[in-house]
Amino acid sequence: MSDEEEIILMDLNDDDLVAQIKDDLYDGLKDEVFEGVEILLERKWAANLILSDVLVEAMRIVGVDFRDGILFVPEVLQCAGAMKNGMGLLRPILAASDAQTSVGKYVIGTVKGDIHDIGKNLVGMMLEGAGFEVIDLGINNPVENYLEAIDKHKPDILGMSALLTTTMPYMGLVIEELDKRNILKELPVMVGGAPLNQEFSDAINAHSYGRDAAMSAELAKVIMGKNA
Ligand code: B1M
């Protein structure tokens, strides 16, 4: 098929459609990714499967080419925009909760110096789906933002996200501040993000490490004393 020839997403079988959505995300094509996700949902694909096997997998490929200097920041921003467009469709499904009352309050934010927010947003969606009230502080948060939010919202859990090896140590700094103010002993802190691991989480004295969004929501329920 020539590049000019229009691809009708609806006409593709599932395998070809998934491959096409990944290509479209790689090319930063927001509307096409949206439409592709819409079709998969119409074909009764589970939202979490679309997320993990299509969108997150496509973004993994973007990450590899970004690392290898094949893609650059402006292109990756387009990819992120396309991913967010697809995630927007999944959000109401993933965040729909059967819980009648809030399971707990969860404040979440990406740390200072870091503007990555796709993973954090995903964790937020999963938490909402698990029945949490989520207060999202957004990106690039200095310690003061966390302290203010803790004071204002009195959360049951604080979550921090970092995607850069240069910003992950900032989580330790926030935890130290919480400790100094005697907040840490009453407020479980969960940390997460691609470069983290359990060892790092232990080293900075975090309460828990969330490896991925689904696991983090399960962990949060366990912290609240709800069975996961
Ligand atoms: Co950035 N970037 N980036 N980037 N970027 C990475 C992280 C990188 C690994 C790419 C690479 O080299 N392969 C690399 C970091 C290398 C390192 O630190 N060793 C990198 C770099 C270098 C940079 C810049 C410095 C590039 C530059 O300017 N030269 C720059 C830094 C900007 C800054 O923050 N100050 C930069 C910029 C950007 C964009 C703005 C272009 C864009 C972000 C757009 C946005 O987020 N709105 C971007 C992107 C998209 C990426 C990659 C390609 C994808 C990240 C992503 O969204 N993944 C990324 C490569 C990669 O990670 N493979 C890369 C999908 C997402 C679902 O996964 O975020 O891991 P993730 O979240 C997961 C888990 O980690 C976990 O659950 C999520 C869902 O399962 N999780 C938590 C996350 N937070 C959690 C919190 C929790 C619990 C679990 O509890 C609270």
Side-chain angles (χ1 to χ4, degrees):
M1 193 181 286
S2 79
D3 281 352
E4 288 81 39
E5 215 168 316
E6 197 192 342
I7 296 165
I8 310 286
L9 296 180
M10 192 70 98
D11 292 347
L12 300 177
N13 65 34
D14 281 12
D15 286 349
D16 290 343
L17 178 59
V18 166
Q20 188 59 46
I21 298 171
K22 288 181 188 170
D23 280 354
D24 288 342
L25 191 146
Y26 188 94
D27 292 334
L29 300 174
K30 281 185 175 185
D31 294 344
E32 286 76 357
V33 170
F34 187 90
E35 193 191 335
V37 170
E38 213 171 24
I39 297 171
L40 285 180
L41 283 173
E42 276 162 16
R43 291 183 189 176
K44 306 286 175 226
W45 273 57
N48 55 0
L49 197 69
I50 300 176
L51 195 59
S52 60
D53 291 13
V54 187
L55 300 182
V56 171
E57 176 53 20
M59 191 49 105
R60 188 190 63 76
I61 298 163
V62 169
V64 171
D65 283 1
F66 189 28
R67 181 196 63 205
D68 295 344
I70 297 164
L71 290 176
F72 297 95
V73 170
E75 289 143 347
V76 178
L77 268 175
Q78 301 274 338
C79 302
M83 170 131 187
K84 283 186 178 180
N85 225 23
M87 274 166 64
L89 260 179
L90 303 179
R91 182 182 191 103
I93 303 168
L94 294 172
S97 167
D98 295 335
Q100 297 298 309
T101 52
S102 164
V103 171
K105 259 193 202 177
Y106 194 116
V107 164
I108 189 167
T110 302
V111 293
K112 186 178 168 184
D114 203 319
I115 62 169
H116 295 86
D117 68 353
I118 295 175
K120 166 189 69 62
N121 295 348
L122 217 46
V123 175
M125 281 183 206
M126 292 292 190
L127 285 166
E128 284 176 5
F132 281 86
E133 183 187 342
V134 177
I135 297 118
D136 188 343
L137 306 181
I139 54 172
N140 197 20
N141 283 288
V143 64
E144 294 78 18
N145 288 10
Y146 293 109
L147 292 172
E148 256 174 50
I150 291 166
D151 199 39
K152 183 169 171 201
H153 300 289
K154 315 266 180 290
D156 298 291
I157 305 176
L158 173 71
M160 288 188 280
S161 178
L163 262 286
L164 299 171
T165 45
T166 48
T167 56
M168 52 194 256
Y170 196 80
M171 296 171 151
L173 194 143
V174 176
I175 290 175
E176 270 173 31
E177 278 303 317
L178 296 179
D179 198 16
K180 270 189 213 156
R181 289 158 205 257
N182 278 328
I183 299 172
L184 192 61
K185 59 180 190 309
E186 274 153 23
L187 178 65
V189 177
M190 187 186 293
V191 292
L196 274 71
N197 55 30
Q198 185 65 52
E199 213 181 346
F200 175 79
S201 166
D202 293 343
I204 61 168
N205 220 4
H207 178 282
S208 47
Y209 161 62
R211 198 189 58 218
D212 58 40
M215 193 184 158
S216 302
E218 293 307 313
L219 253 175
K221 282 200 279 181
V222 172
I223 294 170
M224 296 305 297
K226 311 275 171 199
N227 61 320

